[in-house]
Amino acid sequence: MEKNAIYPSRRNFIATTVTAATGLAGLALLPQAGFSQKTADSDINIIGPKEGYSPQIGTLVSMMTWMRMVVLSSVEKLNQQQLDFLFDANSNTIGALLMHLAATESLYQGNTFQGLEDYSENDKKKWSVAMDLGEPARKSIKGHDLKFYTDMLTEVREKTLAEFRKRDDQWLMKVDPKFFSNMPTNNYCKWFHVCEHESNHNGQIKWLAKRVPGAKPGGE
Amino acid sequence: MEKNAIYPSRRNFIATTVTAATGLAGLALLPQAGFSQKTADSDINIIGPKEGYSPQIGTLVSMMTWMRMVVLSSVEKLNQQQLDFLFDANSNTIGALLMHLAATESLYQGNTFQGLEDYSENDKKKWSVAMDLGEPARKSIKGHDLKFYTDMLTEVREKTLAEFRKRDDQWLMKVDPKFFSNMPTNNYCKWFHVCEHESNHNGQIKWLAKRVPGAKPGGE
């Protein structure tokens, strides 16, 4: 498996670990003042409340930020040919999968911030091919370098964060009576899904990236 | 894409959505009493504190429970041949990936509950092939039905939950000074990783499951 210095991999677990073998005294207790203490955004591996957000929304933001960091590290060295590479007739390209992440986040923005059941008409034009993937996406999502996709992801994320800053933990816990599997689903679950959905496709992206033209031989 | 009735998919988003179009009045505010209110375990799509755990640990548990439900729904119809199917010489089987999830969780149990830098000797014998995957796993992890893997995952998870019940949110926020990328990392981040790691491999599992012998034709 390609060693990803950022994503915790099997091989670098030991190399990067200095753990709690020394007991409590060896660890910094951060935050000191309970769960509401905010930590700086540069503390990427500190999951918890963040400045500018209510405590739980900030915790969610820290998860989403961490997850995005991991996804970007999977694709940072890919060129256009690799982003456009089609593994088989039923696969998606890595570029299309990246656009799909932005499309998904946009869909949940509309749903949770505006109460929409589907994209607005404008957004549908913009996002539905990337949302649905498949043959239309294979035909049309190509010819872009990495920056095209990362700029798109960043723009969508900035809108999410701006909307999160206006809301509070009560909003996060608010329940939609019928959503996933037609069951009660809170905003936290919807946004947790947006977050884990990035990891879902990141697993596919990493698998594909090992098989694109120019990939290191012998990767799993 | 195969429609998974549980995992939110592009096509069933609209079919299953009754959203906030009606405004706040249309939604149940649950929990009523702020973030510390516990919700019953059967509320699978309610991310938040759960009975028996401190508030943040319970929230983490709700995420891990949701994620596990999604992974299991990806594999619930697979037979032994499909679990053992090797897509190409550098792939992992779905069965091996399931065992890898259990191996990963076990590794983080040792690290965060006992301060270990690596598996104990006993656990190394039990888990290291599944942890490292690759050729040894291709050779040896085979011949098991689904129940073998799901029992293993359940047993490991029950140990995690038992240990979580003994701990509190201060423990969850405790920082290991050097871990992921040699940077400060709290227990919450380590366990968030365990959770998203399941989604990472679930994306690969779903991709492979569309290509196993007996899979529905035309899946992406």
Side-chain angles (χ1 to χ4, degrees):
Chain A
M1 175 180 165
E2 277 175 27
K3 183 171 173 178
N4 180 328
I6 297 174
Y7 192 62
S9 79
R10 308 157 209 148
R11 297 194 197 99
N12 71 16
F13 179 95
I14 298 163
T16 59
T17 307
V18 173
T19 65
T22 55
L24 289 179
L27 298 172
L29 210 75
L30 180 71
Q32 303 287 344
F35 199 72
S36 61
Q37 177 107 2
K38 305 285 171 35
T39 57
D41 285 349
S42 58
D43 291 335
I44 186 66
N45 301 327
I46 307 296
I47 298 298
K50 297 294 176 184
E51 199 65 47
Y53 304 95
S54 59
Q56 294 314 316
I57 293 181
T59 301
L60 169 66
V61 168
S62 72
M63 293 176 181
M64 291 173 67
T65 304
W66 194 90
M67 203 62 248
R68 177 59 59 81
M69 177 263 299
V70 167
V71 171
L72 294 178
S73 71
S74 297
V75 299
E76 60 190 359
K77 295 188 167 65
L78 298 178
N79 60 38
Q80 183 190 307
Q81 185 197 24
Q82 295 168 325
L83 291 166
D84 288 350
F85 177 71
L86 199 57
F87 179 82
D88 66 23
N90 291 318
S91 286
N92 297 295
T93 65
I94 292 172
L97 289 174
L98 290 174
M99 195 165 172
H100 176 70
L101 299 184
T104 300
E105 187 161 341
S106 297
L107 187 64
Y108 280 86
Q109 285 175 350
N111 177 260
T112 66
F113 301 144
Q114 300 174 259
L116 302 177
E117 286 194 27
D118 194 2
Y119 291 117
S120 64
E121 281 315 303
N122 269 352
D123 279 354
K124 200 172 282 186
K125 290 187 183 75
K126 190 171 176 187
W127 293 120
S128 60
V129 170
M131 188 56 179
D132 294 342
L133 292 171
E135 198 58 22
R138 283 188 278 276
K139 285 182 155 47
S140 67
I141 303 176
K142 55 176 84 168
H144 307 292
D145 62 7
L146 182 62
K147 191 176 186 299
F148 172 84
Y149 299 108
T150 56
D151 282 353
M152 177 182 287
L153 285 162
T154 298
E155 184 181 341
V156 171
R157 179 55 52 88
E158 282 176 356
K159 179 174 172 184
T160 297
L161 297 182
E163 293 296 324
F164 277 173
R165 284 189 201 101
K166 301 180 197 171
R167 290 169 170 78
D168 63 14
D169 289 353
Q170 265 204 321
W171 170 84
L172 192 64
M173 295 303 291
K174 200 172 297 178
V175 176
D176 187 339
K178 287 181 194 288
F179 196 76
F180 293 151
S181 301
N182 240 21
M183 290 168 64
T185 305
N186 63 359
N187 282 327
Y188 208 163
C189 189
K190 292 181 183 184
W191 280 99
F192 172 69
H193 166 57
V194 171
C195 183
E196 64 82 14
H197 173 260
E198 296 208 3
S199 191
N200 169 82
H201 288 299
N202 189 44
Q204 297 171 341
I205 286 169
K206 289 188 290 178
W207 192 96
L208 293 167
K210 289 172 185 155
R211 292 160 174 84
V212 295
K216 288 182 205 161
E220 300 160 28
Chain B
M1 176 180 162
E2 277 173 28
K3 182 172 173 176
N4 181 329
I6 298 174
Y7 191 61
S9 78
R10 308 155 210 151
R11 298 198 195 95
N12 70 17
F13 179 95
I14 298 164
T16 59
T17 309
V18 172
T19 66
T22 55
L24 288 180
L27 297 173
L29 208 76
L30 178 70
Q32 304 289 344
F35 199 74
S36 62
Q37 174 107 1
K38 305 285 168 38
T39 56
D41 285 352
S42 58
D43 293 333
I44 187 68
N45 302 327
I46 307 298
I47 297 299
K50 296 294 175 186
E51 199 64 49
Y53 305 95
S54 59
Q56 296 313 316
I57 293 181
T59 300
L60 168 66
V61 167
S62 71
M63 292 176 180
M64 291 173 68
T65 304
W66 193 91
M67 204 62 247
R68 178 58 60 81
M69 177 264 299
V70 167
V71 171
L72 293 179
S73 71
S74 295
V75 299
E76 61 190 358
K77 293 188 169 64
L78 298 179
N79 60 37
Q80 183 190 308
Q81 184 196 24
Q82 295 167 325
L83 291 165
D84 289 349
F85 177 71
L86 199 58
F87 180 81
D88 66 22
N90 292 318
S91 285
N92 296 296
T93 64
I94 293 172
L97 289 174
L98 290 174
M99 196 166 171
H100 175 71
L101 299 184
T104 300
E105 186 160 342
S106 299
L107 186 65
Y108 280 86
Q109 284 174 350
N111 177 260
T112 66
F113 300 145
Q114 299 173 259
L116 302 178
E117 286 194 28
D118 193 4
Y119 291 117
S120 64
E121 280 315 303
N122 270 353
D123 279 354
K124 199 172 282 187
K125 290 188 183 75
K126 191 172 177 186
W127 294 120
S128 60
V129 171
M131 188 55 178
D132 294 342
L133 292 171
E135 197 58 21
R138 282 188 278 278
K139 286 183 155 49
S140 68
I141 303 174
K142 56 176 82 166
H144 307 293
D145 61 7
L146 181 62
K147 191 175 185 300
F148 172 85
Y149 298 109
T150 56
D151 282 353
M152 177 182 288
L153 286 162
T154 298
E155 184 182 339
V156 171
R157 179 54 55 87
E158 283 176 355
K159 181 175 170 184
T160 297
L161 298 182
E163 293 296 324
F164 278 173
R165 285 189 201 99
K166 301 179 199 171
R167 289 167 170 79
D168 62 16
D169 289 353
Q170 267 205 319
W171 170 84
L172 192 65
M173 294 303 291
K174 200 171 295 177
V175 177
D176 187 338
K178 288 180 193 288
F179 196 77
F180 293 151
S181 301
N182 238 24
M183 290 170 61
T185 304
N186 63 359
N187 281 327
Y188 208 163
C189 189
K190 293 181 183 183
W191 280 99
F192 172 68
H193 167 57
V194 171
C195 183
E196 64 82 14
H197 174 259
E198 294 207 7
S199 191
N200 169 83
H201 287 299
N202 189 44
Q204 297 171 340
I205 286 169
K206 287 188 292 176
W207 192 95
L208 292 167
K210 287 171 186 156
R211 293 162 174 82
V212 295
K216 290 182 206 161
E220 301 157 27

